[in-house]
Amino acid sequence: MPMKSLAAFSKGTSIKSDPGANPVTTFRVVVDKEVTDHIRSWRLILLLALLALTFFGALYVSLSNIKSVVSNAQDPDSTFLYLKLLTSTDGTMPPFHVFLNFLGPLLGIALGFDAINSEQNNGTLIRLMAQPVYRDNLILAKFVSALILVGTLFFTLVLLMIGAGLCITGVLIEPVEVLRIFTFTILAVVYVGFWLSLSILFSIAFKQTATSALAAIGVWLFFTVFYQIVVNLVMAAFIPRHTIQTEADLVGYNEVMLNILRLAPSQLFSDATTTLLMPSVRSLGPMTMEQMAGAIPSPLPFTESLMVVWPQVSGLLAATFLCFAYSYYLFMRREIRS
Amino acid sequence: MENPVIDLKGLTKCYGSLKAVDDLNLKVEKGEIFGLLGPNGAGKTTTILMMLGLTEPTSGKALVCGIDATTNPILVKRKVGYMPDSVGFYENMTALENLVYTGKLNGIPGNEAHRRSLDLLDLVGLGDSANKRTSVFSRGMKQRLGLAEVLIKRPEVIILDEPTLGIDPAGVKEFLDLIRQLSREQGLTVLLSSHHLHQVQMVCDRVGIFAAGKMQMEGNIHKLSQALFAEDSYSVSITVREPLPASWEYSDELRDIRDVRGLRISENLVQIACASDVTPDIVRFFVAKGLDVMGVHKREFGLDEIYQKYFDNNLIENNAHEKSRSIFKRYIHKK
């Protein structure tokens, strides 16, 4: 392939490069490219299939079970048909929001574990960094593009669910239900965002994509499987069973236990979703009989539920920002070589 | 040099106790092609990274187009096109898409980026492969695409790290010709690093020899060779038909010719070092002695010799030789 004459370039070089490239447009360019990359990738298709499968499975189970659930007069939440669709089950399969507790991390990790190190290994990172692009814009763009996809995905699924519910049952949806379901969706996106930022952090910290994936999955497994066991063991060692004499002791013990468990993001997520999707839940800790006395088992208004889960939401957001801040710290002053 | 485009002042970079670049001072003028020449691990890439603000110098300053690359890397990156030694592209994207992406990152609107990309792909000879994915590209094709990418932002300075790596000899010539042409016609300042002496010799106006983090010497090839080989800067090789004995009867007589400094005889090849060009005298001498001269080759000392003079006596390399020899010995003895 012989090289051609310079005519083409000369024509081009008569105008100099536009010096006014501002960071916002470059940010958008990177986001556009990342979203396109994700959409074209097999990875997203697989994740999409997995998520769709669980969603429709959960929906099927709850739909076949919905009649008995709604006609149960004992349950104060029985009037919230659409919330029931998301939470009820016949025991063969966990409801969707519990599933999401497992799948959310997987989604976040899968979309972020090779964000930076794969670019570094392919030699594209140094090329990218030689362009007038701010480094923080690059990580932020990686984060935002994955989150845009997750958000779109979740909102689509939820809207599909509402649509299916409308078609099959013919019951009109209450505004409160819409509010609760959407808040739940936003919460799910935030939850995935946490795992995404964690996996991007690992993708900066570790040079090999396999290592960063393993590290992220390790953290996820630790929190879902081992954390509870470890906390139980340690608590039992520090506060032996026989020292608990009174009811107050027991309540205190459980409170401490639950607070430690809340260091796990999955616990925060499950607390928050349970409260949002089951309006009758009014406290996330143990309650004594005195506290319960006089309370009418009725659903809380939306704002009250939101108040109950507020600490959880801020906890998740704080954890996300922490990961992000550390990613910035690691990436900003790092030497990039091919 | 009133306003150097690249101005490095006392640039130093340490990795722990290792000094990769040691108090480097360098000025490159506008429109000049400067060759940074040095063996592997001399600190060439580190120097380049500091010029782009991709790594921070331990001390000293790197000014490119008058802008401090450490504190203001974005401004520098708008004016400088950089091609790393191993270029990588997004493999799931075509050559054209890769180029357009880079163009857009430099603030060039989509249509314009597309038009420029097609022009440049033609220029570097990849016009037919514009819509192929870069995953099927050979090393040489990637290198060409790398050059196109460097040019898309219409830089004032281009920095090429080992640009000819992996290109076939014919391609190298075209590549270097193109770089030279660009520099001459567009007034581009070019800094290229390499350990390929001949290529650097072919294209660069000025060369800096870089070893162990220090600039050992700087100047054009002619000046360098004069400085280094003030005494014997010419070498004449004469091939005769019949092999000569090691103790040749006429060797003293040959040495008496004006400006001949030394000679070496190996079989039928006689190598003569001289301070001025006395080739005709030498040939006449051989003819007069009735020897059949089959070939005469004269050359000025090039970078090869300059390079060798610097790096052959390199202590580190000697140690390495010693070590490999001892390993070799041990291996042989075991057998």
Side-chain angles (χ1 to χ4, degrees):
Chain A
M1 258 174 292
M3 298 200 187
K4 307 226 172 88
S5 81
L6 262 183
F9 185 74
S10 311
K11 186 174 62 188
T13 23
S14 50
I15 325 157
K16 281 283 165 199
S17 172
D18 166 32
N22 71 49
V24 181
T25 49
T26 52
F27 176 71
R28 283 225 23 209
V29 171
V30 182
V31 170
D32 281 357
K33 185 242 159 204
E34 290 298 322
V35 171
T36 320
D37 262 7
H38 279 311
I39 289 176
R40 283 185 189 174
S41 70
W42 271 103
R43 185 192 314 187
L44 190 80
I45 296 172
L46 290 175
L47 284 174
L48 209 71
L50 196 64
L51 201 69
L53 199 68
T54 49
F55 176 75
F56 289 112
L59 195 64
Y60 174 75
V61 170
S62 61
L63 265 177
S64 53
N65 200 30
I66 196 81
K67 194 175 172 194
S68 61
V69 173
V70 177
S71 53
N72 178 7
Q74 294 289 306
D75 187 350
D77 293 340
S78 60
T79 51
F80 296 99
L81 179 87
Y82 290 88
L83 297 184
K84 279 291 164 206
L85 269 182
L86 278 174
T87 52
S88 73
T89 168
D90 59 359
T92 53
M93 207 172 144
F96 184 61
H97 72 106
V98 176
F99 249 126
L100 215 54
N101 210 332
F102 303 121
L103 277 182
L106 196 65
L107 202 62
I109 291 169
L111 289 176
F113 78 94
D114 62 348
I116 300 294
N117 50 15
S118 75
E119 292 230 19
Q120 182 146 22
N121 294 340
N122 290 335
T124 48
L125 186 64
I126 184 147
R127 239 169 19 84
L128 200 59
M129 287 292 97
Q131 311 306 330
V133 179
Y134 289 98
R135 291 191 182 191
D136 50 346
N137 263 350
L138 179 68
I139 2 185
L140 192 64
K142 295 254 176 199
F143 180 75
V144 168
S145 59
L147 221 54
I148 287 175
L149 283 172
V150 172
T152 318
L153 191 64
F154 281 180
F155 273 97
T156 315
L157 285 180
V158 159
L159 288 173
L160 273 177
M161 193 272 307
I162 294 177
L166 272 176
C167 287
I168 293 167
T169 63
V171 179
L172 273 180
I173 190 164
E174 297 284 325
V176 157
E177 282 180 296
V178 177
L179 217 54
R180 278 177 184 272
I181 288 174
F182 277 8
T183 319
F184 158 74
T185 316
I186 291 167
L187 199 70
V189 174
V190 170
Y191 180 55
V192 174
F194 164 74
W195 289 100
L196 188 65
S197 66
L198 187 74
S199 63
I200 288 177
L201 172 64
F202 283 144
S203 87
I204 294 170
F206 299 111
K207 291 249 151 52
Q208 297 295 328
T209 49
T211 317
S212 67
L214 213 60
I217 289 174
V219 172
W220 169 46
L221 272 184
F222 173 76
F223 277 127
T224 42
V225 180
F226 301 110
Y227 188 62
Q228 207 156 5
I229 303 171
V230 170
V231 169
N232 273 324
L233 270 175
V234 171
M235 285 296 283
F238 277 105
I239 311 170
R241 279 270 163 207
H242 60 83
T243 59
I244 300 167
Q245 304 282 334
T246 63
E247 192 186 7
D249 281 349
L250 189 66
V251 169
Y253 176 82
N254 280 332
E255 193 80 42
V256 172
M257 183 89 167
L258 202 61
N259 279 335
I260 294 174
L261 282 178
R262 281 193 186 123
L263 287 177
S266 54
Q267 181 68 35
L268 291 181
F269 179 69
S270 77
D271 278 3
T273 46
T274 316
T275 317
L276 279 173
L277 294 177
M278 298 175 184
S280 59
V281 172
R282 46 182 61 208
S283 165
L284 290 164
M287 290 176 90
T288 55
M289 282 312 283
E290 293 96 76
Q291 283 172 306
M292 287 296 282
I296 305 158
S298 64
L300 287 179
F302 172 68
T303 44
E304 293 300 319
S305 286
L306 205 58
M307 291 304 281
V308 173
V309 300
W310 200 243
Q312 270 76 2
V313 177
S314 6
L316 271 180
L317 282 175
T320 310
F321 281 115
L322 210 64
C323 286
F324 225 77
Y326 193 55
S327 307
Y328 271 31
Y329 171 76
L330 281 183
F331 193 55
M332 286 313 277
R333 309 195 73 174
R334 168 140 114 199
E335 175 179 305
I336 292 158
R337 269 178 191 260
S338 46
Chain B
M1 260 180 250
E2 297 292 290
N3 274 320
V5 173
I6 296 174
D7 189 2
L8 310 181
K9 292 176 182 167
L11 207 60
T12 305
K13 175 76 184 179
C14 301
Y15 292 106
S17 60
L18 177 82
K19 263 192 177 169
V21 176
D22 189 2
D23 193 27
L24 175 69
N25 290 293
L26 174 70
K27 284 184 184 12
V28 180
E29 245 182 310
K30 184 168 167 53
E32 199 178 14
I33 305 181
F34 188 87
L36 203 55
L37 195 62
N40 298 330
K44 290 173 295 189
T45 305
T46 309
T47 309
I48 291 174
L49 290 184
M50 286 191 279
M51 280 184 231
L52 285 160
L54 289 176
T55 185
E56 285 178 33
T58 312
S59 68
K61 258 189 177 180
L63 298 176
V64 180
C65 305
I67 304 161
D68 190 333
T70 312
T71 54
N72 223 335
I74 296 290
L75 282 181
V76 170
K77 285 171 191 168
R78 285 206 184 118
K79 298 184 177 216
V80 180
Y82 167 56
M83 187 167 96
D85 51 353
S86 59
V87 276
F89 292 94
Y90 296 107
E91 303 214 322
N92 52 350
M93 284 158 70
T94 65
L96 184 64
E97 285 170 333
N98 266 296
L99 268 189
V100 171
Y101 180 50
T102 308
K104 282 186 185 166
L105 285 179
N106 282 287
I108 305 166
N111 300 340
E112 169 72 7
H114 194 264
R115 199 183 58 74
R116 273 194 213 181
S117 301
L118 285 175
D119 279 356
L120 284 170
L121 282 170
D122 269 341
L123 177 72
V124 297
L126 288 176
D128 302 332
S129 313
N131 290 315
K132 279 190 196 150
R133 288 189 177 203
T134 50
S135 52
V136 302
F137 272 30
S138 68
R139 175 91 211 229
M141 286 163 89
K142 280 187 188 164
Q143 216 76 15
R144 284 157 189 251
L145 185 56
L147 184 66
E149 194 223 15
V150 163
L151 296 176
I152 198 167
K153 68 168 89 162
R154 285 171 190 163
E156 291 173 28
V157 183
I158 58 181
I159 297 178
L160 309 167
D161 199 351
E162 303 281 1
T164 51
L165 222 63
I167 307 187
D168 51 75
V172 166
K173 196 174 174 318
E174 282 170 14
F175 197 95
L176 293 177
D177 283 348
L178 184 64
I179 289 172
R180 200 174 177 84
Q181 205 178 342
L182 280 171
S183 168
R184 293 292 170 266
E185 290 177 13
Q186 313 294 331
L188 278 177
T189 310
V190 181
L191 186 137
L192 63 91
S193 89
S194 180
H195 52 246
H196 277 275
L197 316 152
H198 295 290
Q199 298 165 6
V200 170
Q201 205 165 357
M202 262 164 66
V203 70
C204 294
D205 301 320
R206 224 148 49 86
V207 174
I209 296 186
F210 201 54
K214 280 186 188 273
M215 189 64 85
Q216 308 284 359
M217 244 193 155
E218 193 192 319
N220 60 36
I221 310 259
H222 187 67
K223 214 173 103 192
L224 283 187
S225 93
Q226 272 189 338
L228 270 170
F229 304 96
E231 281 298 283
D232 27 43
S233 54
Y234 292 92
S235 166
V236 183
S237 311
I238 306 232
T239 318
V240 291
R241 191 194 291 274
E242 299 298 325
L244 298 171
S247 52
W248 189 34
E249 47 190 315
Y250 301 121
S251 46
D252 287 337
E253 213 173 314
L254 182 59
R255 262 187 249 270
D256 287 341
I257 295 177
R258 182 177 52 91
D259 280 347
V260 169
R261 298 278 182 247
L263 80 156
R264 204 164 73 205
I265 302 167
S266 49
E267 303 267 293
N268 44 7
L269 183 76
V270 185
Q271 281 180 305
I272 302 147
C274 34
S276 66
D277 194 355
V278 289
T279 318
D281 297 337
I282 294 169
V283 174
R284 227 173 279 127
F285 175 82
F286 273 83
V287 174
K289 297 295 170 207
L291 291 161
D292 299 332
V293 176
M294 304 299 289
V296 178
H297 182 71
K298 180 198 84 175
R299 59 178 179 152
E300 199 177 343
F301 278 102
L303 274 177
D304 258 334
E305 283 74 15
I306 299 171
Y307 203 60
Q308 259 175 14
K309 181 142 182 163
Y310 263 105
F311 306 129
D312 268 12
N313 304 333
N314 198 318
L315 198 67
I316 305 159
E317 219 161 291
N318 275 351
N319 284 346
H321 277 303
E322 204 79 346
K323 209 172 172 184
S324 63
R325 212 173 296 143
S326 75
I327 291 171
F328 188 64
K329 257 186 204 162
R330 243 181 293 152
Y331 179 72
I332 298 285
H333 281 301
K334 254 179 207 163
K335 278 218 153 180

